[in-house]
Amino acid sequence: MNDLTQCVVTPKVKTDGFEALGAAVHRASTIVFADAAAYATRGQRGPDGYSYGLYGTPTTRTLEQKITQLEQGHRTLLAPSGQAANAIAMLAVLNLGDKVLVADTAYPPVRDFVNTDLARFGVRAEYYDPTSPEGLERRINGNTKLVWCESPGSTTMEVQDLPRIAEIAHRHGALVGFDNTWATPLNFKPLVHGADIVTEALTKYISGHSDVLMGSITVASEQLFNALKATMGRAGIGVSPDDASLVLRGMETLGVRMKHAHDGATAMINWFRGHPAVERVLYPALPSSPGHEFWKRDFLGASGVFSVELVPEALPHVPEALNTLETFAIGASWGGTRSLVAPMPVKSNRSATAWSGQDLLLRFSVGLESHDDLMADLEKMLAQIQARIDDERFGKENIRQSML
């Protein structure tokens, strides 16, 4: 064989007896076949076969199977991000003239996709109060093909009564989709409670290191899997096996990471609730949080993500106070090793419900740092805010006294 040919043709090496704990990274676009007959019948290989790298490699299939088992679903597909998973799930089941009902607390990019892109495709969207199944039933009709849930709600943390919502949707012939990114399948299993489709932003807790983008779509039936797989194939959507290997690696520590985050969040929440600059804390495990009874009934635990509403006098001082943070970083997303805080507006992302609290919430994601260091950071931040509030009150009192 010519040297040039030997540079290109890869020799077969023995793999028997090589059993590693980590999943191998299989990179491929082209997949070759033993003979012409095998190539001609490649379409008959089924969902577990291989025909082209876009449609899966052993690495991506390993991740899909692992997620399917945790979700207790039928099959899983991988998408380039959590938002891609949400969008693909909707595109695969909605057609011209259909109606989708979306929880009013959904992730803002979902609202944008629904309002902009689904509208262009002739799909009508309405928003419903996530805490009112009765309100959902009043909005649902024969054209409704999908009810979209996100529980807890993005930023404001309302927990939905999924079994009740699923009963209503299925009675009217609609599917139920559920974004489960806050809880992960360790703390909630939507398919067990009536959902037909569950999405996860693997970017967050499951990958866990803030260095990879990926999403998953797990379904309850082969029919839904075929529809999703066909949609993704026509759109040319796939994921990198290298990224899948990073998610697989991060997934191995998901349980211990979430426990550390939850323990830290619990301590911080208890401290926040006693601070004079804090109006309230939003966290499903708190009895005061909307839908707490459904969290207590259906969920297996809580994550390390919560939101804090400050008193009105504190809001003008938030930007400067955030700049004092040293251990917390300011950034979107959650679920990584580094603790994050993000100032989140609420009212601009509501249409079916009215938000009665302050428009700005601070959303915290507790990471893997020392809880003591994180608490010191928070104490310093709120001490600065409280000092500013006290200074303003003192100044106003002096002005009032001078006018007497």
Side-chain angles (χ1 to χ4, degrees):
M1 187 182 292
N2 187 281
D3 285 354
L4 291 178
T5 305
Q6 289 192 67
C7 285
V8 175
V9 177
T10 303
K12 300 285 186 182
V13 298
K14 182 180 178 181
T15 58
D16 295 346
F18 184 82
E19 294 292 337
L21 289 173
V25 181
H26 294 268
R27 302 182 187 92
S29 54
T30 296
I31 294 170
V32 297
F33 298 82
D35 51 43
Y39 180 77
T41 58
R42 66 191 183 281
Q44 301 173 21
R45 290 189 165 190
D48 295 320
Y50 299 101
S51 60
Y52 192 66
L54 178 67
Y55 309 120
T57 72
T59 309
T60 58
R61 296 281 171 80
T62 300
L63 178 55
E64 288 170 355
Q65 186 171 331
K66 206 166 191 177
I67 294 169
T68 300
Q69 290 169 349
L70 283 175
E71 301 279 15
Q72 296 185 22
H74 179 71
R75 285 187 185 274
T76 296
L77 289 159
L78 302 176
S81 68
Q83 173 60 7
N86 295 333
I88 293 162
M90 293 184 183
L91 286 173
V93 300
L94 294 169
N95 296 296
L96 176 68
D98 288 346
K99 177 178 171 180
V100 57
L101 287 170
V102 180
D104 204 32
T105 50
Y107 183 48
V110 167
R111 296 182 72 98
D112 193 19
F113 172 76
V114 167
N115 294 342
T116 304
D117 297 294
L118 289 187
R120 288 192 298 112
F121 302 147
V123 175
R124 181 185 172 196
E126 286 186 14
Y127 294 89
Y128 67 94
D129 182 344
T131 65
S132 174
E134 297 79 14
L136 170 69
E137 183 137 35
R138 287 193 294 270
R139 292 179 179 272
I140 201 166
N141 60 29
N143 291 329
T144 307
K145 303 304 178 186
L146 178 66
V147 175
W148 191 259
C149 305
E150 181 181 327
S151 178
S154 187
T155 305
T156 48
M157 303 287 159
E158 296 91 338
V159 177
Q160 297 184 251
D161 185 353
L162 178 57
R164 176 84 186 279
I165 290 169
E167 185 278 323
I168 294 169
H170 293 157
R171 178 158 36 87
H172 288 84
L175 297 168
V176 176
F178 194 102
D179 185 335
N180 193 46
T181 302
W182 182 89
T184 82
L186 290 191
N187 286 329
F188 189 54
K189 302 184 187 298
L191 298 176
V192 174
H193 294 277
D196 303 287
I197 302 167
V198 57
T199 61
E200 306 276 357
L202 306 179
T203 306
K204 295 183 170 67
Y205 271 122
I206 292 179
S207 68
H209 291 77
S210 306
D211 59 358
V212 62
L213 290 164
M214 195 173 294
S216 65
I217 313 167
T218 305
V219 295
S221 70
E222 185 75 6
Q223 181 180 4
L224 278 172
F225 171 78
N226 290 335
L228 281 159
K229 187 175 178 65
T231 298
M232 292 179 71
R234 289 190 296 269
I237 297 170
V239 302
S240 159
D242 294 270
D243 287 348
S245 73
L246 289 175
V247 178
L248 282 164
R249 172 176 285 191
M251 197 173 188
E252 293 186 8
T253 60
L254 176 60
V256 292
R257 286 187 289 104
M258 289 200 73
K259 182 182 186 307
H260 185 87
H262 170 262
D263 291 346
T266 300
M268 291 168 208
I269 286 167
N270 289 335
W271 177 79
F272 269 123
R273 294 176 74 198
H275 198 283
V278 173
E279 188 76 37
R280 60 174 170 163
V281 179
L282 299 169
Y283 188 58
L286 293 176
S288 58
S289 204
H292 167 75
E293 65 272 25
F294 306 126
W295 173 84
K296 189 174 181 179
R297 182 191 69 191
D298 297 336
F299 282 60
L300 304 171
S303 76
V305 178
F306 61 93
S307 294
V308 172
E309 181 182 352
L310 299 175
V311 296
E313 302 93 326
L315 297 182
H317 311 300
V318 167
E320 189 174 350
L322 289 177
N323 292 339
T324 68
L325 294 170
E326 296 177 355
T327 308
F328 277 91
I330 302 171
S333 197
W334 68 67
T337 59
R338 184 74 183 268
S339 293
L340 299 172
V341 58
M344 304 291 291
V346 179
K347 293 182 179 179
S348 60
N349 294 310
R350 295 294 179 96
S351 56
T353 57
W355 176 249
S356 59
Q358 301 303 316
D359 189 33
L360 185 73
L361 298 179
L362 294 181
R363 189 182 68 195
F364 291 89
S365 170
V366 180
L368 301 187
E369 305 93 340
S370 160
H371 295 162
D372 290 341
D373 289 339
L374 292 172
M375 284 299 304
D377 225 17
L378 295 177
E379 288 169 359
K380 179 176 62 176
M381 181 191 77
L382 282 196
Q384 176 167 322
I385 290 176
Q386 189 61 49
R388 299 276 182 169
I389 293 173
D390 292 343
D391 287 346
E392 287 183 350
R393 287 174 178 167
F394 181 72
K396 289 178 181 178
E397 178 62 19
N398 282 344
I399 292 172
R400 191 184 70 82
Q401 290 293 336
S402 67
M403 294 175 66
L404 293 178

